Structures are given as structure tokens and as C-alpha cells.
Amino acid sequence: MDSWWTHAVIYQIYPRSFMDANGDGIGDLAGIRARLDYLAWLGVDAIWLSPIYPSPMADFGYDVADYTDVDPQYGTLAEFDARQIRVLLDFVPNHTSDRHPWFVESRSSRDNPKRHWYIWRDAAFLDGGVPCTPPGSSLAGAPTSRSASSRSRPPNNWLSNFGGSAWQWDEATGQYYYHAFLEEQPDLNWRNPRVEAAMFDVLRFWLARGVDGFRVDVLWHLIKDEQFRDNPPNPAYRPGMSPYQSLLASFSADRPEIHALVMRMRRVLGEFGDRLLLGEIYLPIERLVTYYGPEGPAAHVPFNFQLIQLPWTATTIGVAVEAYERALPGGAAAAWVLGNHDKPRVARRLGAGQARVAAMLLLTLRGTPTIYNGDELGLVGVVRPAPESLDPKGRTLPGFSRDAGRTPMQWDASANAGFTTGGPWLPVQPDFARVNVAVERDDPRSMLSLHRRLLQLRRTDVALARGIYTPAHRGDCVVAFGREFEEQRRVVALNFSSDVQRVVLEGGVGGRVLLSTHLDRSDAVSGEVLLRPDEGVIVAVEERRRSPRPA
Ligand code: GLC
Ligand code: CA
């Protein structure tokens, strides 16, 4: 039997930016509740909430100080319990906040029972008893005691995703701790069975409250190399890329032991029936598909970020989609996405015309897609000067701020786009009077109307909802593929260019356009379909084996 999520569309809400009900400029649960009608009207099946747990907000909630409560900025546990929609929570298992009581204990002394809940290591030269710098270098002769100079010799070369070494010196206990992200986000030690047990109980706490599953933050990071070997240089590194990418994360992530852990995690979800575990995993597809696990995909889907990461050309995207369909283990479906709170918005990357083509691709591919809140309006976000970055990544790595993809939802033409009656924590777009839910809802050709039509079609059209994927046509400018269920056949043809393109329907068959990204045609087609610039269409193809008409 299918799981609830097999054909579902997920909608990611970034709670800070969705809807503010109390005028403090920050979105909250009451705001989300007030907008549930909108989500029902739009036609999504479930929401994934970026973290709502108590947090000092050093990384806007991805630094969790208490896994089993709701931050007062967002609301209360009781409000959460009263939800009326399927919800996936964001599970952040790789690291806690440095203010989490576990870490407060862990750093209090070397023999604290929670010491090994985190990853503590001696300075490199203390480990082997030999200084690791050659004589004559500027560091030679540095004191070998627990002193400030130890800071210059972290245990290995691992880098933080947010810049600099991933090791933070702790003066009080004379050791380094590991943080793959901010120093305020110490990594948990998942090789410690007590950590696993405590974190699995966190899952059970929410599963027992009825959540429908989890999006798991940086799932491939959880287990690190037991020997803490240095990461090798990345031969593909080019200036302009984040310094983190100068090394390959060969030893700090995607270790073989992760798979058994993911299986155990899935089993915890299984204790509660049909729940979804959606993993955030940035890996090449041959590595990605291993996360479906040996027992089949019944309870686990890794996100596929290729539509975000690859150059937007018909050839590249066409090849990637087909390769992934081939690489997926039997019966598994993909979890495609076009954007999230970490990336520039799709309409900024591709422009308005191609963002519509991308929406059609996302919502017609086989699998469980996720829409990032605001992308259905065509939001582009607001890029602010680097020094003003509220995102900590933008402060340590100028140019890499994620603020622009996190600006508020735009609901109507009133002040602050109806997001808040106070001062929004990030600005709304200057054109919000034109680009908002109220205006786009009434415009039958808007980006919002396109999303709604695509979602309606996906819901009612069995070939699009459940059909197999068949490659149809690939060219320099067009991606086309089929979706087939029994006798029903659909062809999705997407023009990636700004020229007219002709797509031949296999076998010269005819059909009817069910939907165009331009939202202005439902014409009959015969043998081929002509695509205008930036146009995508879904064609219902006539049945191939029609019995001849009686004379
Ligand atoms: C994930 C989140 C990102 C966060 C990071 C650390 O990539 O999506 O927002 O900063 O993990 O938790
Ligand atoms: Ca608020």
C-alpha cells in the first residue's frame, strides 16, 4: 500500500518569514494557523516547518537549545498540538546550540558524564606528543602546555561550513570541540549510544504528538571518521567558491557507518506507523541513492538538490533527471526541490519565465516534491549590503548571506505586504503591491495561479500523480518526458529557451494541451507541439491503441 507521502506535495514554511500574528516582526505559529486556508486553497498536502524549538537563534533555530518545546517567539506546544494539517518537523540531530544543557554540562569539565556527548579532541601536537609544525616555521617552539597557543593547532584540517576551522578551542578544559557550522553549534557525538538514545527519544516525543515525519538536517554529517583523518583538497575548487569547498568532506561526512544509523532512525519512525523521514543530503547522485537503504524506500527519501545546483540548461537538466530515474532503487521516488531557506530564490536564479518552466518540471516529475514558501508567488527576495547580513553565514563569508532567500511572504498590498503590523525582521520586496497572494489569486495568469493549476492537475490526473516516468525527447533547448498510467499518457514538454521550439510527439499521435505555463491555451495538437519562448506544456496524448471506429 502507498504511504501518505508517496504522491504528496510538501510545502516548506520558514516560520520567521511566513506570517506574524502579534506584530513583533517575526512570523509565528498563530500566523501560520491564520494562513492555513491559503494552503488548503493552494492544494499542498503537508507542511515542513523549519525549526520552531527554543533557540538562541544564532542560526535562526538551527541551533536548538531544547528539542522538546516551542520557542516563545513562535508560540507554545499547545498551539502546535492544535494544528490542522500534516506537519513535518525539522529534526536537527547533528548539533545542538552551545546553550543546550547537554553542552553546558559537557564543557563544564573533562570528566562530566556528558563530556563524550560532543566531539572533544586534544590539540594536534598534544595527541602525538610531537609538534606538527616543521622547525623554523613561525609556530615552532610554541609552548606545549594548555595555553592560548594551542589554538593554532586544531586536531585536523576540517573546515566549518560557515568559514574557518571547524574546531573551537575551549580554554577552561584545554581541548577543542568540533562544529561543522557555527561555534555556537557544537556537533553531537553520534558514536555515543547515549546520544542516539536521547535523540531517538526526541523523535518519539514528537511522533507521539502525531507529527507526520521529519526533515532531517544535514543527515549525511552525523557520523565522522573515527580516526579524524585530514580531508583531502578538492581538485574542482575555484576561487569564488565557499572556502569550505576547498576540501572534500571525505572524512567529516558521508561515512559508511551512517547507513546503519539511518536505518535505526527509520525504525523509530516505523514504531509509529506511516511517517516520513526526508533527509537533507547534498551528495552526488550515486552517493545520494545509497541513502534509500537496503530495505527499500518505504520510509525514507533523500532530497535531490540537482535542480538547484546544476546549470539550468535543457541538456544538463534532462540528463540529470533521466540519470536519477535510472539510479533510483526499484519503487523509490525522488524528492525534488527548486529552493529552500539556504539558497537564492528560483525566480532570482532563473528569471520569471524559466521559473514557471521550473515549477512545471517540479510538479510533474515523479515523486514527492517540496515547494519553498514564496516561490509560488515568484518572489526574488531582497539582496542587502553584506555588512547588514543577519544570517551568520553572510557575516563570516561576505557574499554568502542567505537573507535574500528568507524575506517575508507577501500577502497583500497593505503595509509590509500584510506580513506584519510591526517592523519585519527582513524587508519585503519593493514591488510587493503587485507581487502578493491577494493580487495573484485574482489573476488567472499569475505564477500563483500556475502553481494552483499544477497542483490541481497533479491531484486529479492519475498519470501525473502515479504514472511511471518515460524519457521522451531531449534536445539543446527542450526537456520532454512522459508520465504513463495504464492507458493514460501525458507528455510534459518544456522550452528552456527564448525561441520557439517544436516537439514531435512520439508516433505522430495527437492530443490536447492540458496546461501551459502561459495559462492561455488548451488547444488540440497533432503529431507535434509548438512551444513559445519560456513555455512548458502538459499534453494529454491520445491513447495509442485505439480500436478502429465501427463503420
Ligand atoms: C542545514 C540548514 C541550514 C543550517 C545548517 C546547520 O543546512 O538547512 O539552514 O544553517 O543545516 O544546521
Ligand atoms: Ca510574531
Side-chain angles (χ1 to χ4, degrees):
M1 213 191 65
D2 280 348
S3 294
W4 70 263
W5 49 268
T6 319
H7 311 289
V9 176
I10 296 164
Y11 183 86
Q12 180 192 355
I13 290 184
Y14 194 66
R16 278 186 97 71
S17 303
F18 194 65
M19 178 67 208
D20 172 26
N22 66 354
D24 65 357
I26 294 170
D28 41 50
L29 292 184
I32 296 172
R33 167 172 306 275
R35 299 296 185 181
L36 285 182
D37 284 355
Y38 166 71
L39 297 177
W41 172 85
L42 183 60
V44 296
D45 302 288
I47 56 177
W48 143 33
L49 297 177
S50 277
I52 54 171
Y53 317 103
S55 163
M57 304 287 166
D59 190 19
F60 296 117
Y62 285 94
D63 47 324
V64 179
D66 177 355
Y67 285 101
T68 55
D69 204 349
V70 171
D71 193 285
Q73 266 190 351
Y74 293 140
T76 63
L77 203 48
E79 270 179 287
F80 177 80
D81 285 341
R83 70 198 174 275
Q84 289 159 337
I85 187 169
R86 283 192 187 276
V87 173
L88 305 178
L89 280 182
D90 208 314
F91 182 47
V92 191
N94 182 66
H95 43 264
T96 70
S97 162
D98 61 345
R99 315 253 193 98
H100 194 292
W102 296 343
F103 189 69
V104 173
E105 279 193 49
S106 185
R107 79 182 318 172
S108 67
S109 79
R110 285 202 188 200
D111 47 21
N112 183 277
K114 295 251 165 29
R115 183 67 170 183
H116 300 296
W117 284 46
Y118 293 83
I119 299 172
W120 291 97
R121 303 284 291 170
D122 292 337
F125 70 92
L126 288 178
D127 252 357
V130 200
C132 59
T133 34
S137 87
S138 60
L139 292 173
T144 52
S145 65
R146 287 182 195 181
S147 68
S149 64
S150 318
R151 261 170 255 168
S152 55
R153 293 194 181 100
N156 64 21
N157 72 350
W158 295 358
L159 296 173
S160 156
N161 280 265
F162 292 160
S165 167
W167 295 97
Q168 178 64 29
W169 178 251
D170 181 62
E171 194 66 53
T173 57
Q175 279 188 314
Y176 285 90
Y177 66 86
Y178 176 70
H179 57 91
F181 295 88
L182 296 175
E183 66 180 76
E184 293 92 342
Q185 292 166 299
D187 278 47
L188 281 164
N189 174 15
W190 275 85
R191 291 182 185 272
N192 182 341
R194 288 175 204 268
V195 167
E196 179 172 311
M199 291 300 276
F200 283 3
D201 280 345
V202 168
L203 291 174
R204 292 190 184 97
F205 173 89
W206 293 106
L207 290 164
R209 297 188 106 84
V211 304
D212 296 278
F214 300 91
R215 173 268 189 186
V216 184
D217 194 61
V218 297
L219 181 57
W220 82 114
H221 271 264
L222 262 53
I223 302 275
K224 296 81 162 112
D225 180 41
E226 206 162 16
Q227 300 168 50
F228 292 91
R229 283 168 282 186
D230 275 349
N231 278 328
N234 175 6
Y237 183 70
R238 299 284 170 274
M241 289 163 76
S242 155
Y244 175 74
Q245 290 176 293
S246 63
L247 301 179
L248 295 171
S250 316
F251 292 107
S252 51
D254 192 31
R255 300 302 304 160
E257 301 93 321
I258 184 69
H259 296 288
L261 170 56
V262 174
M263 291 309 294
R264 295 197 291 279
M265 207 181 266
R266 280 165 57 164
R267 248 174 257 137
V268 176
L269 269 72
E271 294 166 16
F272 293 81
D274 191 13
R275 314 292 170 101
L276 169 62
L277 199 158
L278 197 54
E280 185 203 23
I281 303 170
Y282 284 90
L283 286 175
I285 62 166
E286 62 282 3
R287 299 291 320 137
L288 195 59
V289 293
T290 63
Y291 283 75
Y292 279 97
E295 282 170 29
H300 183 66
V301 186
F303 273 125
N304 178 326
F305 295 107
Q306 287 184 297
L307 302 182
I308 301 180
Q309 294 177 307
L310 292 174
W312 191 257
T313 68
T315 334
T316 323
I317 298 294
V319 168
V321 166
E322 238 176 272
Y324 199 55
E325 275 286 342
R326 272 200 310 270
L328 285 170
W336 299 101
V337 278
L338 293 172
N340 59 42
H341 62 291
D342 294 327
K343 303 291 172 195
R345 286 202 176 261
V346 58
R348 174 173 296 279
R349 284 189 291 121
L350 308 183
Q354 282 301 308
R356 294 173 84 108
V357 170
M360 184 171 274
L361 175 65
L362 175 74
L363 296 174
T364 54
L365 282 174
R366 201 173 65 83
T368 307
T370 300
I371 299 172
Y372 177 51
N373 61 190
D375 281 354
E376 77 276 23
L377 303 174
L379 294 190
V380 291
V382 182
V383 179
R384 293 149 68 245
E388 287 170 31
S389 177
L390 295 183
D391 173 24
K393 187 173 182 184
R395 286 201 302 272
T396 45
L397 300 172
F400 288 90
S401 176
R402 296 168 294 180
D403 286 351
R406 299 174 174 181
T407 60
M409 270 295 278
Q410 303 187 166
W411 294 102
D412 56 39
S414 68
N416 298 313
F419 163 70
T420 178
T421 54
W425 76 287
L426 282 173
V428 297
Q429 291 176 204
D431 61 0
F432 72 88
R434 214 165 32 79
V435 183
N436 63 59
V437 170
V439 165
E440 293 195 34
R441 193 173 354 211
D442 291 341
D443 172 0
R445 307 238 168 114
S446 68
M447 180 72 153
L448 181 57
S449 295
L450 173 63
H451 276 82
R452 183 152 186 260
R453 295 282 300 280
L454 282 165
L455 288 166
Q456 273 172 348
L457 199 54
R458 216 190 132 90
R459 192 175 289 270
T460 51
D461 191 279
V462 65
L464 287 176
R466 289 157 193 271
I468 55 160
Y469 165 95
T470 53
H473 163 104
R474 231 173 42 216
D476 289 346
C477 300
V478 171
V479 170
F481 55 91
R483 298 291 312 277
E484 291 178 27
F485 188 87
E486 294 173 358
E487 291 300 297
Q488 289 203 39
R489 184 163 166 241
R490 309 287 176 246
V491 167
V492 180
L494 307 166
N495 185 353
F496 278 56
S497 79
S498 44
D499 304 311
V500 173
Q501 300 291 336
R502 177 187 308 266
V503 178
V504 175
L505 296 173
E506 180 206 326
V509 290
R512 175 167 296 281
V513 173
L514 290 179
L515 193 66
S516 154
T517 49
H518 294 16
L519 298 170
D520 61 353
R521 66 190 274 197
S522 54
D523 49 314
V525 293
S526 177
E528 63 176 29
V529 54
L530 278 186
L531 298 174
R532 290 166 289 172
D534 292 328
E535 184 180 27
V537 295
I538 304 170
V539 179
V541 178
E542 279 169 15
E543 284 175 27
R544 278 171 291 183
R545 285 179 305 254
R546 262 199 311 185
S547 40
R549 264 179 226 209

